[in-house]
Amino acid sequence: MPRLQIFISGIVQGVGFRPFVYRLASAHRLSGWVRNDKQGVAIEVQGRDADLGLFLHALQEEAPPAALIGALQSQLLAEREETGFVILPSQAEREGRAWVAADLATCPDCLRELRDPSERRHRYPFLNCTQCGPRYSIIRQMPYDRPHTSLADFTLCPECRKEYEDPTDRRFHAQPIACPTCGPSYWLERADGSRSEGKAAVEAARQLIAAGGILAIKGIGGCHLACDARQADAVLKLRRRKKRLVKPFALMAGSLETVRALCLLSQQEEETLRSPARPIVLLERQASACLAEGVAPGQRRLGVMLPYAPLHALLLEKEDVWVMTSGNDADAPMLYRDEDMRDGLRGLADAWLLNDRPIVRPIDDSLVQIVATRTVLIRRSRGFAPQPVSCLTATRTILAAGGDLKNTFCLAADGLAFLSGHMGDLAEASAQENYRQQQKELQKLLDCQPTALAYDLHPAYHSQRFWRKAALPAVPIQHHHAHAASVLAEHRLSGPALGVVLDGTGYGTDGSLWGGEFLALSGASFKRLAHFSYLPLPGGEQAVRQPWRLAAWILSELYGDDPAAWPIRLELPAGWPVLRQAVRQGLAGVPACGAGRWFDAAAVILGLGQENQYEGHLAGLLTEAVQGEGELLRYALLPGTPRQIDLLPLLKDLAEGVLAGKEIGYLAASFHLTLFQALREMLLLLRCETDLNTLLLSGGVWQNRHLLARALNCLPEDGFAVYCNQQVPANDGGLSLGQAWIAALRLKEEESCV
């Protein structure tokens, strides 16, 4: 009888693929074996031609839901004398890299077991099976076998061993299998030193939350700080302790019914909430939602997720809503080691709910929104990372460093790009150390040593300084070029294309700060065709944190230096005239054309605030303020090379609209409508000049749902083929993918010239 050798790459480890192959081979009366290796799964099967054909078809069509087959290769072998089919121990004969499965939310079967008093895992917070549970956060190295996970020190009891070895059991070869007899344990530690063990710990934790306390919870990929989202005093206490005064908190609701009571929910949003990735989803808030005002000040949307670990299902009743924010101090990375949680959160938490299953790799919660029926990632982390994104085939293994805000880094090899989880901002020393450590860990996990580097042009970026002196070929890449290229990479486009990249600031090739860019991309190069007009940032970076400076400059230019003549009033410090004069003399005003700066200035003029408490704060308030459609206000397209969009007339119309008593929501809508119309008119003009019809939308401003929805709905009517970031964030979280894509092309071009 014929014998087949089959090699499969993809997400085929840690998702029940070997048990699936075992059952499939047995059903088709085939002999042979299956095992994990360094590339994925290796199989040998022997039987009748018809049965082998059915086996191959089912292998691809009926794979486990969490599996993703990247490639399948097969060849004929000589017949052997054997009977039966077995799962063999993993080997590392084939060189390569297996795809690592992301952490998966608790499946319905395990949830039923968790709640069933007759089950031996009743109310046990570490139950899982081949279709759910931690993966990336517990794996130390591949292949994905128990000795390589953080459960290696937990020896299976006889009952768990029986399930593990039973082909009919859903825990057949489930590597993180555990039960109360042989698995991890958990407990609650209070700030006063007292302690509750086991199931009593969950009840004690619930009592603490009900009493208005702050609880630190060790979860799948790190620590959360939790409190009751309906108790205003508890939310305010958490804000004060964490030094997070206004930035919205993420919420966890105990059930989908509770989410519906809080938010308007489409079918697509519901499916995203319930998906195995279990991300935080941005949802429109119900007017009747009963929550503490401090949960999301000034926001019409809430970031909500459902329980994704068994512990969450035990802690939250169906009607509960808890704040569930990352366990860290302001601007520091999320904590995930027990000792760091105790020390780092002392004074923030009233108690710690801990366990003895180590977290190997920290991974933050992912964040998504639905815009014009497209699922758009804002933060790509738990549930998604480190699943690969298709990328240009490279002759080298490339490490792309990303940026300094919302950082991710990327390892690109064998035509695939493996992005890290969300690293956050790299300003703090602890964040920089975590960044370096996680790079080493991902290289080790993927058995992937870089032979070339890619990083942002900005000379002050920490992500650049770490690698600038490395003894490897290095490719510096302009910030907005990388943004646009990230769309090419994830949609497998080759270009040429027209990129519209809108963000706050990025270092330009001329040394100024870019951020409102129209780029023509071709191969590994780009040309700047147009941009927003430059504005000086009075005081440099201070103007990003304090946009009143920019608004004051604009009003001075429009109405003169006397604030009494301005149509709106700003609270200006006594030193403003001196700073204004210094800017005019070219001494204290960095030129910038970022779209985000125009959003900031508009928000100040509309009276929504004067300072950014966090990145994108005022721009977000401007987005949330939109009511209705608004009206088209003035703007100007300026000729030249490159062309420019001048929005000063728009801001003047906004200021005079405030003076005339127009509704702020109406003016906010008018700002968005006018900005989009300016973009649209510029794009039509540039298409006539370049014949480029493929359009790439990237940069953090494209997270604005009003702007993105208009672009996705209207620009195709103009004949554009419109693509935006979906698999990676449009913000700087997707930057590393674009860097890897460009570096691969440039290195290939250089090698072809040698």
Side-chain angles (χ1 to χ4, degrees):
M1 287 188 292
R3 185 179 185 87
L4 279 181
Q5 182 184 62
I6 303 169
F7 293 131
I8 303 176
S9 64
I11 300 177
V12 289
Q13 295 190 21
V15 292
F17 202 85
R18 288 178 297 173
F20 159 70
V21 171
Y22 178 96
R23 288 189 283 266
L24 195 63
S26 300
H28 290 286
R29 301 174 298 280
L30 302 175
S31 62
W33 52 262
V34 59
R35 70 184 176 204
N36 284 342
D37 64 16
K38 292 182 73 173
Q39 283 195 25
V41 166
I43 305 168
E44 288 191 13
V45 283
Q46 184 169 296
R48 297 184 304 171
D49 279 326
D51 292 328
L52 287 173
L54 291 170
F55 173 84
L56 275 175
H57 177 77
L59 199 60
Q60 299 175 79
E61 298 299 321
E62 300 174 15
L68 177 62
I69 295 177
L72 186 151
Q73 299 173 317
S74 64
Q75 63 179 11
L76 282 171
L77 297 176
E79 182 180 358
R80 294 182 186 174
E81 288 291 332
E82 68 178 358
T83 57
F85 192 90
V86 296
I87 297 178
L88 294 179
S90 300
Q91 290 191 4
E93 290 180 356
R94 289 193 303 155
E95 288 301 316
R97 58 193 54 84
W99 300 7
V100 183
D103 298 299
L104 303 171
T106 311
C107 70
D109 286 336
C110 283
L111 280 177
R112 282 192 289 270
E113 188 177 359
L114 183 75
R115 293 167 177 151
D116 187 347
S118 67
E119 294 284 352
R120 66 190 189 91
R121 292 187 179 87
H122 175 233
R123 300 189 64 79
Y124 181 60
F126 303 99
L127 85 172
N128 60 82
C129 69
T130 55
Q131 295 306 305
C132 70
R135 298 294 190 268
Y136 176 65
S137 60
I138 63 170
I139 186 68
R140 292 193 169 96
Q141 66 183 66
M142 299 297 279
Y144 181 76
D145 294 314
R146 190 179 183 91
H148 296 158
T149 73
S150 59
L151 285 99
D153 294 334
F154 296 92
T155 303
L156 295 180
C157 67
E159 287 185 271
C160 283
R161 172 63 63 183
K162 181 180 178 182
E163 293 171 325
Y164 183 86
E165 295 175 350
D166 182 359
T168 66
D169 196 287
R170 77 174 196 279
R171 293 193 171 91
F172 182 44
H173 275 256
Q175 303 306 321
I177 186 173
C179 79
T181 301
C182 63
S185 58
Y186 60 106
W187 61 92
L188 182 128
E189 299 178 7
R190 299 175 184 82
D192 62 10
S194 60
R195 180 173 170 133
S196 298
E197 304 282 347
K199 295 178 181 179
V202 168
E203 184 55 34
R206 285 188 50 77
Q207 290 175 3
L208 183 140
I209 293 291
I214 310 298
L215 177 66
I217 305 170
K218 180 182 177 182
I220 295 294
C223 182
H224 284 114
L225 287 170
C227 71
D228 188 337
R230 293 192 173 104
Q231 293 191 37
D233 290 344
V235 173
L236 180 59
K237 180 166 60 175
L238 178 55
R239 286 203 174 279
R240 287 173 175 168
R241 290 182 181 182
K242 197 175 176 181
K243 306 181 185 71
R244 182 170 169 170
L245 300 182
V246 295
K247 189 175 182 180
F249 281 137
L251 303 177
M252 181 175 284
S255 65
L256 194 60
E257 291 73 22
T258 299
V259 179
R260 291 195 185 103
L262 297 173
C263 304
L264 300 172
L265 194 60
S266 71
Q267 182 64 33
Q268 188 175 357
E269 287 166 337
E270 178 177 326
E271 290 172 357
T272 305
L273 276 169
R274 299 173 62 186
S275 69
R278 283 290 200 283
I280 302 167
V281 182
L282 284 177
L283 302 170
E284 192 77 17
R285 181 174 182 162
Q286 294 268 26
S288 59
C290 181
L291 290 172
E293 181 58 35
V295 163
Q299 302 293 318
R300 284 164 39 195
R301 290 194 299 171
L302 300 172
V304 186
M305 58 182 156
L306 290 172
Y308 57 84
L311 181 60
H312 300 145
L314 295 176
L315 286 169
L316 278 78
E317 298 291 344
K318 289 185 176 182
E319 67 278 6
D320 285 338
V321 189
W322 289 9
V323 167
M324 199 70 78
T325 187
S326 58
N328 54 3
D329 207 341
D331 300 324
M334 179 178 60
L335 302 174
Y336 67 100
R337 297 185 182 94
D338 290 8
E339 60 274 17
D340 293 337
M341 292 181 210
R342 292 187 183 97
D343 295 339
L345 300 180
R346 200 165 299 281
L348 274 76
D350 298 311
W352 293 255
L353 190 56
L354 303 176
N355 63 70
D356 55 357
R357 182 178 69 190
I359 297 171
V360 176
R361 303 176 190 284
I363 190 82
D364 213 333
D365 296 318
S366 294
L367 175 63
V368 307
Q369 64 176 339
I370 311 298
V371 180
T373 72
R374 303 196 192 190
T375 301
V376 178
L377 278 160
I378 297 174
R379 185 168 67 213
R380 184 182 189 270
S381 213
R382 178 188 51 76
F384 298 96
Q387 294 176 7
V389 178
S390 292
C391 192
L392 183 73
T393 301
T395 55
R396 295 175 181 267
T397 299
I398 298 167
L399 171 62
D404 267 21
L405 297 177
K406 298 178 173 63
N407 177 271
T408 66
F409 58 87
C410 172
L411 281 166
D414 302 331
L416 297 170
F418 297 87
L419 271 71
S420 71
H422 174 73
M423 293 285 103
D425 300 347
L426 302 183
E428 296 289 327
S430 58
Q432 296 164 27
E433 177 57 33
N434 182 55
Y435 171 80
R436 287 190 291 261
Q437 180 63 30
Q438 295 308 314
Q439 282 187 341
K440 294 176 184 176
E441 292 290 337
L442 189 59
Q443 290 174 36
K444 178 182 175 183
L445 180 64
L446 297 175
D447 192 16
C448 186
Q449 294 303 311
T451 58
L453 303 169
Y455 48 72
D456 195 277
L457 276 178
H458 200 303
Y461 269 12
H462 298 288
S463 52
Q464 186 203 94
R465 292 205 302 266
F466 293 148
W467 301 107
R468 196 163 45 203
K469 297 181 180 179
L472 290 173
V475 184
I477 295 167
Q478 200 280 324
H479 189 92
H480 303 94
H481 186 198
H483 268 307
S486 71
V487 185
L488 290 174
E490 71 162 277
H491 290 282
R492 305 184 189 183
L493 304 172
S494 58
L498 186 62
V500 184
V501 183
L502 307 180
D503 64 3
T505 54
Y507 194 78
T509 55
D510 59 0
S512 63
L513 297 178
W514 294 7
E517 307 304 316
F518 296 77
L519 309 176
L521 279 72
S522 179
S525 62
F526 77 96
K527 181 180 179 181
R528 193 185 195 199
L529 302 178
H531 58 83
F532 285 13
S533 295
Y534 282 103
L535 292 169
L537 298 182
E541 286 295 315
Q542 277 290 94
V544 177
R545 292 185 288 272
Q546 299 176 332
W548 64 262
R549 297 166 178 254
L550 188 54
W553 171 264
I554 290 170
L555 292 169
S556 292
E557 293 296 292
L558 292 174
Y559 297 103
D561 292 342
D562 182 6
W566 299 352
I568 64 170
R569 297 289 177 261
L570 294 181
E571 296 178 11
L572 300 176
W576 166 248
V578 176
L579 178 59
R580 182 189 61 222
Q581 187 61 29
V583 172
R584 286 186 176 151
Q585 294 173 352
L587 302 176
V590 180
C593 66
R597 305 288 73 83
W598 290 95
F599 272 83
D600 283 347
V604 174
I605 287 172
L606 294 183
L608 299 174
Q610 296 208 78
E611 296 193 8
N612 276 317
Q613 299 296 327
Y614 54 89
E615 188 196 11
H617 173 209
L618 293 187
L621 292 180
L622 181 62
T623 303
E624 296 304 310
V626 169
Q627 295 282 355
E629 289 297 311
E631 65 178 297
L632 188 63
L633 304 178
R634 294 177 299 155
Y635 62 90
L637 300 190
L638 307 180
T641 306
R643 294 179 177 274
Q644 295 185 44
I645 295 177
D646 182 13
L647 296 179
L648 277 176
L650 167 57
L651 267 62
K652 185 174 184 180
D653 285 352
L654 290 182
E656 293 181 357
V658 173
L659 182 64
K662 292 184 178 180
E663 292 290 334
I664 297 303
Y666 178 82
L667 292 172
S670 300
F671 174 85
H672 284 77
L673 173 64
T674 306
L675 178 62
F676 174 72
Q677 188 58 36
L679 295 172
R680 190 178 194 177
E681 186 177 345
M682 179 63 80
L683 284 170
L684 292 170
L685 182 62
L686 294 177
R687 182 170 62 182
C688 290
E689 296 176 350
T690 64
D691 288 329
L692 294 175
N693 199 56
T694 300
L695 195 57
L696 316 171
L697 310 180
S698 191
V701 170
W702 286 112
Q703 293 173 176
N704 182 308
R705 67 188 187 280
H706 301 301
L707 199 60
L708 182 58
R710 285 186 187 274
L712 295 176
N713 291 327
C714 299
L715 293 176
E717 296 176 359
D718 296 329
F720 287 105
V722 184
Y723 298 88
C724 66
N725 290 115
Q726 289 182 258
Q727 295 184 63
V728 300
N731 61 42
D732 284 8
L735 204 63
S736 60
L737 176 63
Q739 292 171 345
W741 193 92
I742 296 166
L745 271 179
R746 285 190 186 166
L747 291 167
K748 185 179 288 187
E749 289 174 358
E750 291 174 6
E751 290 168 1
S752 66
C753 294
V754 175

